[in-house]
Amino acid sequence: MRLDKFLAHTGYGTRKSVKELIKGKKVTVNDLTIKDGKIHINPEKDVVSVSGKAISYQEYYYFMLHKPQGVISATEDKVHKTVIDLLDTNDQVSNPFPVGRLDKDTEGLLLLTNDGSLAHELLSPKKEVDKCYEAIIDGIVGGKEVEAFERSITLEDGFVCRPAKLSVLSTDLVEQKSSIQVVIHEGKFHQVKRMFEAVDKKVLYLKRLSMGPLVLDDELKIGHYRPLTVNEMKELKEFTK
Ligand code: URA
């Protein structure tokens, strides 16, 4: 891997600022001062230091994002703000991408990583990863809908969903709204909204609470993100093994 890319990956800023570090003779590889950022190094063997401090290389990054409404689950877009735009520049250099999609108006848990094989495992239809959502529904949701979800919902395009656990948290008879939680096992486009449409109901608000073993940290404010903890990483690796 190129030295300048390695330094950018490890959080030493843009290629331009990395160039300045190198020009300023701040960077050594195996104790040799380097003048050219284009040289190739082996991140696993070579000891790269900046201002005398050895730096360690991390190939993969994993961030938990509390996605806000109004941003799209993509890496770039000419018109809309993306979830990647919410990351600090230093955290963008490893080229993370969202694992799966949440609609523009959906909030909640989104994993961002540059680990393609972990993402593939989590998104694989064969894995049938549980996803738990909280929603506000227009109208009163009751036993009829709970049973329909339990039996299995057929979407308007004929896709038959796996039985889903729908729980009614509360109903507001005055406002004619229901607060629910639902656990689904697939990741079809607009799936939760379409499942409710299949029982003639409309989702007014949607938030993802969990995906497989990963649970949205309730201390994480909307629009904020953090690296996964060692424990979360362990559980995720175990789950996708
Ligand atoms: N289901 C939806 O309808 N939208 C989402 O963003 C996620 C699941």
PDB file of all heavy atoms in Angstrom, residues 102-103 106 133 190-193 206, ligand 1:
ATOM      1  N   LEU A 102     -31.710   2.675   4.738  1.00  0.00           N
ATOM      2  CA  LEU A 102     -32.910   3.162   5.415  1.00  0.00           C
ATOM      3  C   LEU A 102     -33.449   4.260   4.498  1.00  0.00           C
ATOM      4  O   LEU A 102     -32.668   5.001   3.885  1.00  0.00           O
ATOM      5  CB  LEU A 102     -32.567   3.752   6.784  1.00  0.00           C
ATOM      6  CG  LEU A 102     -32.138   2.769   7.881  1.00  0.00           C
ATOM      7  CD1 LEU A 102     -31.818   3.516   9.166  1.00  0.00           C
ATOM      8  CD2 LEU A 102     -33.213   1.718   8.143  1.00  0.00           C
ATOM      9  N   ASP A 103     -34.764   4.375   4.417  1.00  0.00           N
ATOM     10  CA  ASP A 103     -35.351   5.419   3.578  1.00  0.00           C
ATOM     11  C   ASP A 103     -34.914   6.795   4.072  1.00  0.00           C
ATOM     12  O   ASP A 103     -34.523   6.947   5.237  1.00  0.00           O
ATOM     13  CB  ASP A 103     -36.889   5.357   3.631  1.00  0.00           C
ATOM     14  CG  ASP A 103     -37.416   4.040   3.094  1.00  0.00           C
ATOM     15  OD1 ASP A 103     -36.705   3.392   2.311  1.00  0.00           O
ATOM     16  OD2 ASP A 103     -38.552   3.678   3.477  1.00  0.00           O
ATOM     17  N   THR A 106     -36.531   7.676   7.237  1.00  0.00           N
ATOM     18  CA  THR A 106     -36.404   6.730   8.352  1.00  0.00           C
ATOM     19  C   THR A 106     -35.187   7.105   9.198  1.00  0.00           C
ATOM     20  O   THR A 106     -34.154   7.486   8.659  1.00  0.00           O
ATOM     21  CB  THR A 106     -36.241   5.279   7.829  1.00  0.00           C
ATOM     22  OG1 THR A 106     -37.370   4.955   7.039  1.00  0.00           O
ATOM     23  CG2 THR A 106     -36.118   4.280   8.964  1.00  0.00           C
ATOM     24  N   TYR A 133     -37.896  -2.595  14.237  1.00  0.00           N
ATOM     25  CA  TYR A 133     -38.273  -1.203  13.979  1.00  0.00           C
ATOM     26  C   TYR A 133     -39.342  -0.764  14.968  1.00  0.00           C
ATOM     27  O   TYR A 133     -40.157  -1.582  15.419  1.00  0.00           O
ATOM     28  CB  TYR A 133     -38.865  -1.054  12.570  1.00  0.00           C
ATOM     29  CG  TYR A 133     -37.864  -1.284  11.465  1.00  0.00           C
ATOM     30  CD1 TYR A 133     -37.612  -2.558  10.986  1.00  0.00           C
ATOM     31  CD2 TYR A 133     -37.175  -0.212  10.910  1.00  0.00           C
ATOM     32  CE1 TYR A 133     -36.694  -2.769   9.974  1.00  0.00           C
ATOM     33  CE2 TYR A 133     -36.250  -0.412   9.885  1.00  0.00           C
ATOM     34  CZ  TYR A 133     -36.013  -1.695   9.427  1.00  0.00           C
ATOM     35  OH  TYR A 133     -35.100  -1.905   8.435  1.00  0.00           O
ATOM     36  N   HIS A 190     -38.514  -0.531   1.169  1.00  0.00           N
ATOM     37  CA  HIS A 190     -39.700   0.019   1.857  1.00  0.00           C
ATOM     38  C   HIS A 190     -40.511  -1.081   2.557  1.00  0.00           C
ATOM     39  O   HIS A 190     -41.744  -0.993   2.625  1.00  0.00           O
ATOM     40  CB  HIS A 190     -40.654   0.710   0.864  1.00  0.00           C
ATOM     41  CG  HIS A 190     -40.106   1.944   0.207  1.00  0.00           C
ATOM     42  ND1 HIS A 190     -39.162   2.754   0.768  1.00  0.00           N
ATOM     43  CD2 HIS A 190     -40.399   2.509  -1.002  1.00  0.00           C
ATOM     44  CE1 HIS A 190     -38.902   3.762  -0.044  1.00  0.00           C
ATOM     45  NE2 HIS A 190     -39.611   3.626  -1.125  1.00  0.00           N
ATOM     46  N   GLN A 191     -39.839  -2.102   3.047  1.00  0.00           N
ATOM     47  CA  GLN A 191     -40.588  -3.289   3.479  1.00  0.00           C
ATOM     48  C   GLN A 191     -41.632  -3.015   4.565  1.00  0.00           C
ATOM     49  O   GLN A 191     -42.779  -3.453   4.454  1.00  0.00           O
ATOM     50  CB  GLN A 191     -39.637  -4.400   3.947  1.00  0.00           C
ATOM     51  CG  GLN A 191     -40.418  -5.664   4.295  1.00  0.00           C
ATOM     52  CD  GLN A 191     -39.547  -6.869   4.480  1.00  0.00           C
ATOM     53  OE1 GLN A 191     -38.447  -6.930   3.942  1.00  0.00           O
ATOM     54  NE2 GLN A 191     -40.028  -7.832   5.239  1.00  0.00           N
ATOM     55  N   VAL A 192     -41.215  -2.286   5.617  1.00  0.00           N
ATOM     56  CA  VAL A 192     -42.161  -2.076   6.725  1.00  0.00           C
ATOM     57  C   VAL A 192     -43.363  -1.270   6.229  1.00  0.00           C
ATOM     58  O   VAL A 192     -44.528  -1.616   6.498  1.00  0.00           O
ATOM     59  CB  VAL A 192     -41.470  -1.386   7.921  1.00  0.00           C
ATOM     60  CG1 VAL A 192     -42.481  -1.058   9.006  1.00  0.00           C
ATOM     61  CG2 VAL A 192     -40.359  -2.277   8.484  1.00  0.00           C
ATOM     62  N   LYS A 193     -43.082  -0.231   5.443  1.00  0.00           N
ATOM     63  CA  LYS A 193     -44.183   0.611   4.939  1.00  0.00           C
ATOM     64  C   LYS A 193     -45.123  -0.224   4.064  1.00  0.00           C
ATOM     65  O   LYS A 193     -46.344  -0.090   4.154  1.00  0.00           O
ATOM     66  CB  LYS A 193     -43.607   1.779   4.130  1.00  0.00           C
ATOM     67  CG  LYS A 193     -42.871   2.794   4.996  1.00  0.00           C
ATOM     68  CD  LYS A 193     -42.194   3.846   4.151  1.00  0.00           C
ATOM     69  CE  LYS A 193     -41.353   4.774   5.004  1.00  0.00           C
ATOM     70  NZ  LYS A 193     -40.402   5.559   4.218  1.00  0.00           N
ATOM     71  N   LEU A 206     -40.803   6.111  11.200  1.00  0.00           N
ATOM     72  CA  LEU A 206     -40.145   4.799  11.281  1.00  0.00           C
ATOM     73  C   LEU A 206     -38.710   4.972  11.787  1.00  0.00           C
ATOM     74  O   LEU A 206     -37.980   5.872  11.338  1.00  0.00           O
ATOM     75  CB  LEU A 206     -40.142   4.163   9.883  1.00  0.00           C
ATOM     76  CG  LEU A 206     -39.674   2.713   9.767  1.00  0.00           C
ATOM     77  CD1 LEU A 206     -40.536   1.778  10.597  1.00  0.00           C
ATOM     78  CD2 LEU A 206     -39.703   2.263   8.302  1.00  0.00           C
TER      79      LEU A 206
HETATM   80  N1  URA B   1     -38.762  -0.488   5.881  1.00  0.00           N
HETATM   81  C1  URA B   1     -39.152   0.677   5.312  1.00  0.00           C
HETATM   82  O1  URA B   1     -40.270   0.792   4.852  1.00  0.00           O
HETATM   83  N2  URA B   1     -38.276   1.686   5.294  1.00  0.00           N
HETATM   84  C2  URA B   1     -37.033   1.620   5.830  1.00  0.00           C
HETATM   85  O2  URA B   1     -36.273   2.595   5.796  1.00  0.00           O
HETATM   86  C3  URA B   1     -36.649   0.407   6.406  1.00  0.00           C
HETATM   87  C4  URA B   1     -37.531  -0.628   6.430  1.00  0.00           C
END
